Amino acid sequence: MAAESNLTRERPLVPEDSALLIVDVQNLCARRDGGEFKARSDAEIARDYAAYFAQLEEVAVPNMQRLLKAFRAASVEVLYTTIESLTRDGRDRSLDYKISGFNVPKGAWDAKVIDELAPEDDEMVFPKSSSSVFISTNIDYVLRNLGVKQLVICGLRTDHCVESAIRDACDLGYLVTQVTDACASITQERHENSLRTIKGYCRQVTTEALLAELPC
Amino acid sequence: MAAESNLTRERPLVPEDSALLIVDVQNLCARRDGGEFKARSDAEIARDYAAYFAQLEEVAVPNMQRLLKAFRAASVEVLYTTIESLTRDGRDRSLDYKISGFNVPKGAWDAKVIDELAPEDDEMVFPKSSSSVFISTNIDYVLRNLGVKQLVICGLRTDHCVESAIRDACDLGYLVTQVTDACASITQERHENSLRTIKGYCRQVTTEALLAELPC
Amino acid sequence: MAAESNLTRERPLVPEDSALLIVDVQNLCARRDGGEFKARSDAEIARDYAAYFAQLEEVAVPNMQRLLKAFRAASVEVLYTTIESLTRDGRDRSLDYKISGFNVPKGAWDAKVIDELAPEDDEMVFPKSSSSVFISTNIDYVLRNLGVKQLVICGLRTDHCVESAIRDACDLGYLVTQVTDACASITQERHENSLRTIKGYCRQVTTEALLAELPC
Amino acid sequence: MAAESNLTRERPLVPEDSALLIVDVQNLCARRDGGEFKARSDAEIARDYAAYFAQLEEVAVPNMQRLLKAFRAASVEVLYTTIESLTRDGRDRSLDYKISGFNVPKGAWDAKVIDELAPEDDEMVFPKSSSSVFISTNIDYVLRNLGVKQLVICGLRTDHCVESAIRDACDLGYLVTQVTDACASITQERHENSLRTIKGYCRQVTTEALLAELPC
């Protein structure tokens, strides 16, 4: 049984116990021509999503690229989750997604991780139809098999799927590190409220600080 | 297979498909002499927790009393969850609670639901050591056995254990109703931020509105 | 809450509440040139596996073909599970499969359902690395989303992965129908012992009897 | 990631990584005056259950007493599961138990572990209404929190609840040790068939051999 003294969430990464999970950075919602935005005019996007795309394209995606490069170089497992049904007609989706009228058919372009962050050969992608990847996929089983104890989480959106993943991962006993500047939400206020709400469930660090923990 | 048309989160309660879940309204954190506050002076409580206890004692608890009375009268299942270890020394707790140095021993006074909302004979209480009751207990299994499709959630705290329960319940396919004025958090701002963040995961109603849906 | 009277395991199929699950009928173990047998000489196979291949090729596979045809005609969901890693190097596999030295790489020929029973377009296949499909995959989540209450199970092997699936499905609240002559094990004795052991967990019927329950 | 070489099921117990799980040795089914037998005459019991009670009373229970004494002396976690509803009226039970007409009310005498093996202060008992303790309880969550990697399983009945626990524990990544002479079933044939069926899922040892692994 683990001794309780010396337990802490502020534990630097141990590469062989760690994995990086990138949440929902897919064409659907991370590109202006993705399914979530394609019906909107450029004017609407400029008005309603300027802050989102600025944070995503200028900050979060470049940071995730740096994370990917460093984690792969350190042989840390890289995992992805995406919103994607297991069928084309979406009949396997959660009730929640059915109510939302939300279907990303299996194999669709919208389901693909964006090219800038594309999975490499033999990296795993978990298609999901729930906010929390832990509810609708077998990722907890896989993480257990991989021996992962520390889970680094980033992606979209801070206050929805990222936050649900962090809450459940923490409850399940993973030491969670959230990379704050590798996440984004629709507004900066939503992003920051979420960080404050869940700061007791994880360690929150910047990309820069996290990279400094990895062996060079 | 469910037809997708006519699916909605705004479905009024069907009593025989429903259950009421009261989250963490226990001596530990819902009483001034509970474990969370007993080391604090009256002055500290007045300064830091005035808003919390005002919302809790004057609004949320009286509303939960009304809910309990009405749900029991309508023969709707009433369920509770509490922060409580399965052992006295807390060795079974989640890593998260161990890190927090947080142990409510099995059977402790702190673990009991407050007298005002005490469980009645043969109602179920699920002791937990995680934020989300769905991660550390078998409540999903029990809800399935009970045939519950609609889950009404209230209690403490809006942005932590209540929110985690709502997120996971929604992901698991329950139609969730959050009773907004039967929840409380440390500040009104936290409470309201949480309501805004998760409004897509549930139906949000007041106690008054919800009671009107039950048969009188 | 379900009334207890009239509850029975001997309930004929209601097509819209049902699904057919075919377990592990893949090249690996259902073909003489599959990974499990390819190192063995014809003489060894004739000596040790004659009964297995006779039951499989002459009885179980033809019966599964009849089931597939009838279930698809009745628009009943058809699901498959196969032994298959989520990676090529198998690092995601269960400890049990690692101990057994057992890896079916993602996408390998060994992982494919045999041609005679090939999945049709938009049918789901759940790759697994455990005996019970309910432990290592999200099939329970998907069945819930599909509204499945009655699960018809057949495939390989009666006493291992088929039996584990039946036990867990029963425990999870599905009404399970085992199609006894659409299963096979290494020996007839193992097959029959398993049927006797689990007869309290499911309804056991022949292909012929089950087909008679479907609308023609 | 675990190296695959040197992985084995035949690993002797490491006390600090281990737990002992005693399955369903409760008044209901382990005593002649328990709920399962009380409607039967002495003559019927002598005719139909002589082998069962002989194995149980003369072999399995004395062996479990020796295991308990040794495991407690070595400070190994001791866990129990029992067939017991979470309510008195049993409405929380699995569909399977409802179909079987099988209810052990919460707190009933039938639900208690037999006096010879009574839990000590602060040991955990998991009430269940399924064959596998892993499906209807949160035992996997607790084992994870305890840091258990090796699970020793014994109790009743070899081919039903004991076997289901072993299958699921193995699938979940525990190294399972079955204590063969601390289990019992209705007939010796059922007992032995089960041992043969699941020998690939666990290490099978006698009480004597297992005790020799513990520090004296």
Side-chain angles (χ1 to χ4, degrees):
Chain A
M1 248 151 288
E4 208 161 338
S5 56
N6 298 324
L7 285 180
T8 173
R9 274 183 205 93
E10 300 302 318
R11 187 174 166 217
L13 281 195
V14 177
E16 59 270 29
D17 292 347
S18 299
L20 171 66
L21 173 63
I22 297 184
V23 177
D24 296 356
V25 192
Q26 64 196 86
N27 294 328
L28 171 77
C29 51
R31 288 184 54 129
R32 291 158 197 257
D33 53 350
E36 201 170 326
F37 303 105
K38 68 181 175 194
R40 296 175 199 270
S41 68
D42 288 352
E44 280 176 310
I45 290 179
R47 187 190 64 207
D48 297 336
Y49 299 101
Y52 173 64
F53 280 111
Q55 167 72 9
L56 181 62
E57 294 168 353
E58 291 159 34
V59 182
V61 168
N63 280 334
M64 287 187 266
Q65 288 179 302
R66 295 167 68 202
L67 291 170
L68 278 175
K69 189 173 174 191
F71 277 68
R72 286 170 178 156
S75 297
V76 176
E77 186 77 33
V78 172
L79 305 161
Y80 296 83
T81 186
T82 54
I83 297 170
E84 183 179 6
S85 299
L86 302 178
T87 53
R88 281 203 307 280
D89 65 13
R91 64 192 185 276
D92 64 287
R93 280 169 305 157
S94 66
L95 178 59
D96 182 51
Y97 277 37
K98 286 175 183 158
I99 289 175
S100 302
F102 201 63
N103 183 32
V104 179
K106 181 180 178 178
W109 177 84
D110 270 334
K112 302 296 176 202
V113 174
I114 61 172
D115 287 345
E116 295 89 327
L117 306 175
E120 286 197 345
D121 185 49
D122 221 24
E123 289 176 348
M124 284 176 269
V125 181
F126 295 82
K128 70 178 169 70
S129 74
S130 62
S131 284
S132 171
V133 65
F134 288 95
I135 300 290
S136 63
T137 81
N138 64 343
I139 195 171
D140 182 50
Y141 188 75
V142 170
L143 290 172
R144 177 193 293 228
N145 294 341
L146 294 169
V148 171
K149 297 185 178 68
Q150 296 185 285
L151 190 59
V152 178
I153 300 182
C154 59
L156 301 176
R157 295 174 184 175
T158 319
D159 51 332
H160 285 156
C161 297
V162 170
E163 183 173 329
S164 287
I166 290 172
R167 287 173 179 258
D168 285 349
C170 170
D171 279 353
L172 284 164
Y174 298 99
L175 288 171
V176 181
T177 297
Q178 180 177 25
V179 195
T180 53
D181 56 0
C183 297
S185 189
I186 294 300
T187 68
Q188 189 64 10
E189 189 198 10
R190 279 174 166 275
H191 175 77
E192 287 172 8
N193 278 338
S194 175
L195 296 187
R196 269 194 301 275
T197 301
I198 60 172
K199 75 178 173 197
Y201 298 132
C202 58
R203 177 171 80 119
Q204 295 177 328
V205 299
T206 61
T207 301
E208 194 68 28
L210 187 61
L211 293 178
E213 293 177 10
L214 290 175
C216 10
Chain B
M1 247 154 291
E4 209 163 338
S5 55
N6 297 324
L7 285 180
T8 172
R9 276 182 203 92
E10 301 301 320
R11 186 176 167 215
L13 281 195
V14 177
E16 60 271 27
D17 291 348
S18 300
L20 171 66
L21 173 63
I22 297 184
V23 177
D24 297 355
V25 193
Q26 63 194 87
N27 293 328
L28 172 76
C29 51
R31 288 183 55 127
R32 291 158 196 257
D33 54 350
E36 201 170 328
F37 302 106
K38 69 183 175 193
R40 298 176 196 269
S41 68
D42 288 352
E44 280 178 309
I45 290 179
R47 187 192 63 207
D48 297 337
Y49 300 101
Y52 173 63
F53 280 112
Q55 168 73 9
L56 181 61
E57 294 169 354
E58 291 160 33
V59 182
V61 169
N63 280 335
M64 285 188 267
Q65 289 179 303
R66 296 166 68 201
L67 290 170
L68 277 176
K69 189 172 174 190
F71 277 67
R72 286 169 178 154
S75 296
V76 176
E77 186 76 33
V78 172
L79 305 160
Y80 296 83
T81 187
T82 55
I83 297 170
E84 184 180 5
S85 298
L86 301 178
T87 53
R88 282 204 307 281
D89 66 11
R91 65 191 183 278
D92 63 287
R93 279 170 304 157
S94 66
L95 178 60
D96 181 52
Y97 278 36
K98 287 174 183 158
I99 289 175
S100 303
F102 201 62
N103 184 31
V104 179
K106 180 181 179 179
W109 177 82
D110 270 336
K112 302 295 176 203
V113 174
I114 61 172
D115 287 346
E116 294 89 328
L117 306 176
E120 286 197 346
D121 186 51
D122 221 24
E123 288 176 351
M124 285 176 269
V125 181
F126 294 83
K128 71 178 167 72
S129 73
S130 63
S131 284
S132 170
V133 67
F134 288 95
I135 300 290
S136 63
T137 82
N138 64 344
I139 195 170
D140 182 49
Y141 189 74
V142 170
L143 290 172
R144 178 193 293 228
N145 293 340
L146 293 169
V148 171
K149 296 185 179 68
Q150 296 183 283
L151 191 59
V152 178
I153 300 183
C154 58
L156 300 176
R157 295 177 184 174
T158 319
D159 51 333
H160 286 156
C161 297
V162 170
E163 183 173 328
S164 286
I166 290 172
R167 284 173 181 259
D168 285 348
C170 169
D171 278 353
L172 285 163
Y174 298 99
L175 288 171
V176 181
T177 298
Q178 179 176 26
V179 195
T180 53
D181 56 0
C183 296
S185 189
I186 293 301
T187 66
Q188 189 63 12
E189 190 198 9
R190 279 175 167 275
H191 174 79
E192 286 172 9
N193 278 338
S194 175
L195 296 187
R196 267 194 301 273
T197 302
I198 60 172
K199 75 179 173 196
Y201 298 133
C202 58
R203 177 172 81 121
Q204 296 178 326
V205 299
T206 61
T207 301
E208 196 67 29
L210 186 60
L211 293 179
E213 293 177 9
L214 290 174
C216 10
Chain C
M1 245 152 292
E4 208 161 338
S5 55
N6 298 324
L7 285 180
T8 173
R9 275 184 205 92
E10 300 302 319
R11 187 175 167 215
L13 282 195
V14 177
E16 59 270 29
D17 292 346
S18 299
L20 171 67
L21 173 63
I22 297 184
V23 177
D24 297 355
V25 192
Q26 64 196 85
N27 293 328
L28 172 76
C29 51
R31 288 183 55 128
R32 292 158 195 256
D33 53 350
E36 202 170 327
F37 303 105
K38 67 182 175 192
R40 298 175 196 271
S41 68
D42 288 352
E44 281 177 307
I45 290 179
R47 186 191 63 208
D48 298 336
Y49 300 101
Y52 172 63
F53 281 112
Q55 168 72 9
L56 181 61
E57 294 168 354
E58 292 160 32
V59 183
V61 168
N63 280 334
M64 287 188 266
Q65 290 179 301
R66 296 167 68 202
L67 290 170
L68 278 175
K69 188 172 175 191
F71 277 67
R72 286 169 178 156
S75 298
V76 176
E77 187 76 32
V78 172
L79 305 161
Y80 297 82
T81 187
T82 54
I83 297 171
E84 183 179 6
S85 299
L86 302 178
T87 53
R88 282 204 306 280
D89 65 12
R91 64 191 186 278
D92 64 286
R93 280 168 305 155
S94 66
L95 177 60
D96 182 51
Y97 277 36
K98 286 175 184 157
I99 289 175
S100 303
F102 200 63
N103 183 32
V104 180
K106 180 180 178 177
W109 177 82
D110 270 335
K112 302 295 176 202
V113 174
I114 60 171
D115 287 346
E116 295 89 329
L117 307 175
E120 287 198 344
D121 186 49
D122 221 24
E123 289 176 348
M124 285 176 270
V125 181
F126 294 83
K128 71 178 168 70
S129 74
S130 63
S131 284
S132 170
V133 66
F134 288 95
I135 300 290
S136 63
T137 81
N138 64 344
I139 195 171
D140 182 49
Y141 188 74
V142 170
L143 290 172
R144 178 194 292 228
N145 293 342
L146 294 170
V148 171
K149 297 185 178 68
Q150 296 184 284
L151 190 59
V152 178
I153 300 182
C154 59
L156 300 177
R157 297 176 182 171
T158 320
D159 51 332
H160 286 157
C161 297
V162 169
E163 183 173 330
S164 286
I166 290 172
R167 286 174 179 257
D168 285 348
C170 170
D171 279 354
L172 285 164
Y174 298 98
L175 289 170
V176 181
T177 299
Q178 180 177 25
V179 195
T180 53
D181 56 0
C183 297
S185 188
I186 294 300
T187 67
Q188 188 65 10
E189 190 198 10
R190 278 174 168 273
H191 174 78
E192 287 171 10
N193 278 339
S194 175
L195 296 187
R196 268 193 302 274
T197 302
I198 59 173
K199 74 179 173 196
Y201 299 132
C202 57
R203 177 171 80 120
Q204 295 176 328
V205 299
T206 61
T207 301
E208 194 68 29
L210 186 61
L211 293 178
E213 293 178 8
L214 290 175
C216 9
Chain D
M1 246 152 291
E4 210 162 337
S5 55
N6 297 325
L7 284 180
T8 172
R9 275 181 204 95
E10 299 303 319
R11 187 176 167 215
L13 281 194
V14 177
E16 60 270 28
D17 291 347
S18 299
L20 171 66
L21 173 63
I22 297 184
V23 176
D24 298 355
V25 193
Q26 63 194 87
N27 293 328
L28 171 76
C29 51
R31 288 183 55 127
R32 291 157 196 260
D33 53 349
E36 200 169 328
F37 303 105
K38 69 182 176 194
R40 297 176 197 270
S41 68
D42 288 351
E44 281 177 308
I45 290 179
R47 188 192 61 208
D48 297 336
Y49 299 102
Y52 173 63
F53 281 112
Q55 167 73 9
L56 180 62
E57 294 168 353
E58 291 159 34
V59 182
V61 168
N63 280 334
M64 286 188 266
Q65 289 179 302
R66 296 167 68 203
L67 291 170
L68 277 176
K69 189 173 173 189
F71 277 68
R72 284 169 179 156
S75 297
V76 176
E77 187 76 33
V78 172
L79 305 160
Y80 297 84
T81 188
T82 55
I83 297 170
E84 183 180 6
S85 299
L86 301 178
T87 53
R88 283 205 305 281
D89 65 12
R91 65 190 184 278
D92 64 287
R93 280 170 305 157
S94 66
L95 178 60
D96 182 51
Y97 277 36
K98 286 175 183 158
I99 289 174
S100 303
F102 201 61
N103 184 30
V104 179
K106 180 181 177 176
W109 177 84
D110 270 334
K112 302 296 177 203
V113 174
I114 61 172
D115 287 345
E116 295 88 329
L117 306 175
E120 287 198 346
D121 185 50
D122 221 24
E123 289 176 350
M124 285 175 269
V125 181
F126 295 83
K128 71 176 168 73
S129 72
S130 62
S131 284
S132 170
V133 65
F134 288 95
I135 301 290
S136 63
T137 81
N138 63 343
I139 194 169
D140 182 50
Y141 188 75
V142 170
L143 291 171
R144 177 193 293 229
N145 293 341
L146 294 168
V148 171
K149 296 186 179 68
Q150 294 185 284
L151 191 59
V152 179
I153 300 183
C154 60
L156 300 176
R157 296 178 182 170
T158 319
D159 51 331
H160 285 155
C161 297
V162 170
E163 182 173 329
S164 287
I166 290 171
R167 286 173 180 259
D168 285 348
C170 170
D171 278 353
L172 285 164
Y174 298 99
L175 288 170
V176 181
T177 299
Q178 179 176 27
V179 196
T180 52
D181 56 0
C183 297
S185 189
I186 293 301
T187 67
Q188 190 63 13
E189 190 199 8
R190 279 174 167 274
H191 173 79
E192 287 171 9
N193 277 338
S194 175
L195 296 187
R196 267 194 302 274
T197 303
I198 61 173
K199 76 178 172 195
Y201 298 133
C202 58
R203 178 173 79 120
Q204 295 178 328
V205 298
T206 62
T207 302
E208 196 68 27
L210 186 61
L211 293 179
E213 293 177 10
L214 290 175
C216 9

